[in-house]
Amino acid sequence: MKTGAKVKFGCCIFFMLLYNIGNAQISSQRTFDFKRGDEFQKETSINSICTIQRGNQKLDVRSKSSVTKLYKVTDATDKGSVFMVSIQKMTDSLTALGQKLNYNSGTPIDSTSRIEKALSYMMNRPVTVSVDKNGTIILSDNKEVEFANDTLLAFTGIQPELFTNGGLFNLFANFTSNKLKKGYSWPDSPPVINKQKSVTKYTVYSVSDTTTVIKFINTVTGGSVNSNTNGTYILDNKTGLVLERFIETLSAGYAIIGKTVYATTRSSKIHETCKKLPSDVFAQN
């Protein structure tokens, strides 16, 4: 599928993926002890349906995406660690206007497709992230790069991962499991950003010797797009690693292009798994 005139509605889509557990209101924070050379692999699959409409004009876009990322510790001290984050593999299937785009990072791209060029560009842009001993991001070279904010990418369901100073590095939960008991709930409401207010309620669903299961409900209101999200996190009690995420989100709102207003809706299902790799895996990198 070419992304010229046939996909002129691409810039109308706004989509937010909720990955972080947030600044949980729990008194005991976890201290992480990473070692140089530690590697973590995260696999994410996304299925989404997006509708953009103005009057009788309507565009439905379906996408199925898969991304494999490597998080490698390149430096570690008693004060914190430095990670290099890179995409190892990416596939995407996009259907709209009776046409289909298939992208696979392991095959040559269609150089005339703006979406394929954007996805390929993301493949070759590793990011360096410094975190303190509690997993809070203190520095990132997450540069503004060409294509990174190209809203055509929203068609694919894949968004560039942004690392914000002061935010939690999203591989881990920074509180200790012995503070989490079944049935315990707490709220999280970060500052309003771009007129949008986010409110999340977390509840501990179960606790075993090895894992803790946390469910959450999130609402985002204000601005041009509102959303409702629910999900489940499975945490490793020993390391604090988020082993698995299940997320479902529904958003609705509008976008203004020039003087034209378009209605937008989107539903998405996200599944993530994460694991620590043996030291010899990806050694060639």
Side-chain angles (χ1 to χ4, degrees):
M1 180 192 301
K2 310 303 182 187
T3 60
K6 291 185 178 180
V7 196
K8 62 178 67 177
F9 293 107
C11 54
C12 300
I13 299 176
F14 173 86
F15 182 48
M16 179 182 295
L17 296 178
L18 179 61
Y19 284 136
N20 291 329
I21 290 184
N23 298 316
Q25 302 301 309
I26 296 185
S27 58
S28 180
Q29 287 192 330
R30 182 186 295 272
T31 298
F32 297 103
D33 183 22
F34 300 116
K35 295 179 175 58
R36 185 174 182 178
D38 284 350
E39 295 179 323
F40 301 86
Q41 180 180 298
K42 183 169 69 175
E43 297 183 356
T44 304
S45 62
I46 306 168
N47 290 283
S48 67
I49 303 173
C50 178
T51 299
I52 308 167
Q53 188 167 3
R54 177 176 180 265
N56 294 326
Q57 293 181 313
K58 183 179 178 181
L59 174 65
D60 293 319
V61 182
R62 296 175 180 267
S63 67
K64 184 176 182 179
S65 311
S66 177
V67 181
T68 300
K69 289 186 178 180
L70 178 68
Y71 298 73
K72 183 173 183 178
V73 180
T74 58
D75 193 18
T77 68
D78 57 352
K79 294 183 179 180
S81 305
V82 179
F83 285 80
M84 185 175 70
V85 183
S86 58
I87 298 174
Q88 300 295 309
K89 181 180 179 181
M90 184 189 301
T91 62
D92 185 70
S93 174
L94 177 68
T95 303
L97 298 172
Q99 299 185 64
K100 189 171 184 178
L101 174 147
N102 288 299
Y103 172 83
N104 187 319
S105 59
T107 61
I109 68 169
D110 177 358
S111 61
T112 65
S113 168
R114 193 170 177 182
I115 294 178
E116 290 194 49
K117 287 171 66 177
L119 293 173
S120 180
Y121 196 85
M122 290 170 60
M123 282 291 304
N124 299 300
R125 290 297 178 274
V127 176
T128 300
V129 184
S130 299
V131 301
D132 67 16
K133 62 181 181 179
N134 298 125
T136 300
I137 298 171
I138 55 178
L139 185 64
S140 169
D141 68 349
N142 198 44
K143 307 178 184 67
E144 288 289 330
V145 294
E146 184 185 5
F147 298 125
N149 293 316
D150 191 329
T151 48
L152 285 174
L153 279 178
F155 272 136
T156 68
I158 299 173
Q159 295 290 284
E161 185 174 8
L162 300 179
F163 300 96
T164 304
N165 293 352
L168 181 65
F169 193 54
N170 63 31
L171 286 182
F172 302 92
N174 71 344
F175 41 82
T176 56
S177 60
N178 60 6
K179 295 295 181 179
L180 300 177
K181 307 299 181 182
K182 182 178 179 179
Y184 179 74
S185 295
W186 70 93
D188 180 37
S189 184
V192 175
I193 300 176
N194 295 329
K195 299 182 180 180
Q196 287 194 311
K197 181 179 180 181
S198 175
V199 178
T200 308
K201 180 182 179 181
Y202 299 93
T203 301
V204 179
Y205 181 75
S206 66
V207 181
S208 71
D209 291 338
T210 57
T211 61
T212 297
V213 179
I214 296 176
K215 293 183 177 294
F216 74 91
I217 299 174
N218 168 270
T219 59
V220 176
T221 57
S224 60
V225 176
N226 296 334
S227 68
N228 292 282
T229 304
N230 63 79
T232 301
Y233 296 141
I234 302 176
L235 315 179
D236 181 83
N237 292 341
K238 182 178 180 180
T239 64
L241 182 68
V242 182
L243 299 172
E244 203 161 6
R245 289 180 173 92
F246 301 89
I247 300 172
E248 294 187 12
T249 184
L250 176 64
S251 62
Y254 67 91
I256 302 175
I257 307 300
K259 296 182 179 180
T260 305
V261 179
Y262 298 91
T264 65
T265 61
R266 185 162 196 148
S267 62
S268 298
K269 293 184 178 181
I270 304 165
H271 179 219
E272 281 189 352
T273 59
C274 189
K275 62 183 179 182
K276 185 176 181 180
L277 297 175
S279 58
D280 59 340
V281 177
F282 290 130
Q284 68 273 21
N285 293 325

